[in-house]
Amino acid sequence: MVQKDMLALGRRRSVIREIFEYGRKRKVEIGAENVFDFSLGNPSIPAPPQVTETLSRLLQNTDPATLHAYTSAPGDPQVRQSVANYVKDTFGFAASPALIYMTAGAAASLTVTLTALVGPGDEVVVLAPFFPEYTVFIERTGATVRPILCREEDFQVDPTALSHAITPNTRAIIINSPNNPTGAVLSLESVKAIAAILTEKETAFGHPIYLISDEPYRELTYGGVEVPYLPLYYPDTVVCYSFSKSLSLPGERIGYILVSPTATDAADVFDAVCGAGRALGFVCAPSLFQHMVKDCIGLVADITAYDRNRRRLLEILTDCGFDVVKPDGAFYLFMRSLEPDAVAFCERAREQELLLVPSDDFGMPGFVRIAYCVSFEQIERSEEAFRRLADSYQGGH
Ligand code: PLP
């Protein structure tokens, strides 16, 4: 016998993976250049050269027994200090190395933080559309997901919806900006509105409501758009950071949790994070990549290719008459489906060899996600396919 919920989870088909697998098969059948696969959010640009250089240097010059050893569970002390220094220098926020916990990427940061903060009977608010794994991570703790819809015109938070969604059982809220799947960056106005509502509810209910800031796309913004640093605006913040996208290293699994020193019971929160990391069997974050972080924190992969893709795709889609909100960050674009059923729309897109992801699993039906971390050539070649897709809806086909 196995655990039924885990069995079901292991067997549940991931829509995105399924589309990706279909794309692989189709590329063999008709040639890769004829399939326009926009399904997966896998970075398509290399890590900065300094990352490769640092890794080579570490491998050549450090005693392997030291380099590959277990670090202390929250991470190497110098690495944690380098993260705190970076946060101070970049955002002017006085982070404490004693409250930084190195992890195996954002997914680990989130599961550890949620396990530390919430349990059965608790509620966690998420802003839809959201990264579908949030549901898995939250439900595993026994807590309940409370989604609220963002405004469709700009994917900013709807303060009234947020205010109504918070109950005496709300323990946490997850914010993801820049956002997967919309590419939206929460404005300073939105951040301040969220902080004001949470503060008011904390006072009303007499307990902290922790804001979990999921930040794998923090540095991926375009046109000078700024991503407000949430601990500066709301004391009860826990940052779940990842180097997967900023350094283009998603398979290497490295990130961190930063508990704000201003958070209610910050030391307890941190100790619970250590307990959750231990209970989940993380032991310590990958040692080689922790040491890489010490020297490479602050570097960002060259994202000009993403920006070029974003601008060209936006031009193509707008020209074809699709309804899209200009994304300011990450590498996703969220487009309104031309029929209410986004799954049916994606089926019709497939007839044009366009592989798009229906938004249903992101908690906001009626849209599709387009991951534009692909080659520029794919975007150019897809123009006619998008045009044919739009045309197929003219005259009520
Ligand atoms: N959160 C969001 C919003 C994501 O899009 C992703 C990955 O795509 C993750 C978390 C997980 O990132 P990581 O690879 O760092 O675990």
Side-chain angles (χ1 to χ4, degrees), residues 104-108 110 131 134 176 180 214 216-217 242 244-245 250 253 332:
L110 289 164
F131 181 51
Y134 290 165
N176 168 225
N180 174 10
D214 178 26
Y217 303 98
S242 167
S244 291
K245 316 284 160 118
R253 319 306 303 137
Y332 306 103

Side-chain angles (χ1 to χ4, degrees), residues 178-396:
N179 184 265
N180 174 10
T182 63
V185 174
L186 276 187
S187 66
L188 186 55
E189 191 193 344
S190 289
V191 167
K192 287 183 174 167
I194 293 168
I197 292 165
L198 295 180
T199 305
E200 182 201 314
K201 298 289 181 184
E202 284 191 329
T203 310
F205 298 135
H207 62 74
I209 300 172
Y210 291 102
L211 189 163
I212 300 172
S213 180
D214 178 26
E215 308 198 343
Y217 303 98
R218 163 161 287 280
E219 292 81 8
L220 274 59
T221 60
Y222 313 105
V225 169
E226 304 240 342
V227 184
Y229 196 63
L230 290 161
L232 291 170
Y233 299 96
Y234 184 64
D236 286 335
T237 297
V238 179
V239 176
C240 288
Y241 184 82
S242 167
F243 295 93
S244 291
K245 316 284 160 118
S246 58
L247 294 183
S248 237
L249 293 168
E252 302 300 354
R253 319 306 303 137
I254 188 77
Y256 62 80
I257 297 167
L258 181 154
V259 177
S260 171
T262 57
T264 311
D265 304 324
D268 287 0
V269 172
F270 185 76
D271 288 348
V273 161
C274 294
R278 183 175 169 188
L280 293 170
F282 281 113
V283 184
C284 67
S287 173
L288 173 62
F289 283 86
Q290 285 196 49
H291 292 293
M292 178 279 297
V293 164
K294 190 164 66 226
D295 289 353
C296 295
I297 192 164
L299 294 174
V300 180
D302 180 3
I303 60 169
T304 49
Y306 294 153
D307 191 20
R308 186 173 176 226
N309 287 357
R310 176 187 73 113
R311 284 182 283 118
R312 182 69 185 116
L313 191 57
L314 204 58
E315 199 173 77
I316 291 173
L317 297 175
T318 312
D319 196 50
C320 291
F322 288 109
D323 180 6
V324 280
V325 175
K326 180 166 158 261
D328 288 324
F331 38 53
Y332 306 103
L333 199 146
F334 212 53
M335 178 172 96
R336 193 181 292 278
S337 162
L338 291 184
E339 57 183 300
D341 181 354
V343 176
F345 178 69
C346 288
E347 288 295 324
R348 201 188 281 206
R350 239 183 229 205
E351 291 168 14
Q352 305 301 335
E353 310 301 345
L354 283 167
L355 305 186
L356 316 177
V357 179
S359 63
D360 302 63
D361 283 358
F362 298 107
M364 186 188 260
F367 290 80
V368 292
R369 188 189 77 172
I370 305 177
Y372 59 80
C373 42
V374 298
S375 71
F376 187 68
E377 291 68 39
Q378 176 177 321
I379 293 185
E380 286 292 4
R381 278 199 311 271
S382 68
E383 179 171 8
E384 283 315 307
F386 277 114
R387 201 169 299 284
R388 283 194 298 271
L389 176 62
D391 288 349
S392 79
Y393 281 89
Q394 298 296 319

Side-chain angles (χ1 to χ4, degrees), residues 70-192:
Y70 293 126
T71 66
S72 70
D76 178 270
Q78 287 181 22
V79 176
R80 296 162 72 201
Q81 183 67 58
S82 72
V83 173
N85 293 348
Y86 173 77
V87 168
K88 175 85 179 81
D89 294 347
T90 311
F91 309 112
F93 182 75
S96 162
L99 298 176
I100 289 168
Y101 182 96
M102 301 305 295
T103 65
S109 301
L110 289 164
T111 51
V112 168
T113 301
L114 286 163
T115 303
L117 294 179
V118 305
D122 294 338
E123 293 173 6
V124 180
V125 173
V126 299
L127 308 188
F130 54 84
F131 181 51
E133 293 301 282
Y134 290 165
T135 311
V136 178
F137 299 162
I138 293 167
E139 287 178 351
R140 195 208 56 82
T141 67
T144 307
V145 185
R146 288 282 300 223
I148 56 161
L149 289 172
C150 284
R151 300 191 310 219
E152 288 188 11
E153 64 273 23
D154 56 5
F155 301 118
Q156 296 291 318
V157 69
D158 174 349
T160 313
L162 175 60
S163 191
H164 286 149
I166 298 175
T167 76
N169 297 327
T170 307
R171 294 285 154 181
I173 172 171
I174 304 181
I175 302 286
N176 168 225
S177 166
N179 184 265
N180 174 10
T182 63
V185 174
L186 276 187
S187 66
L188 186 55
E189 191 193 344
S190 289
V191 167
K192 287 183 174 167

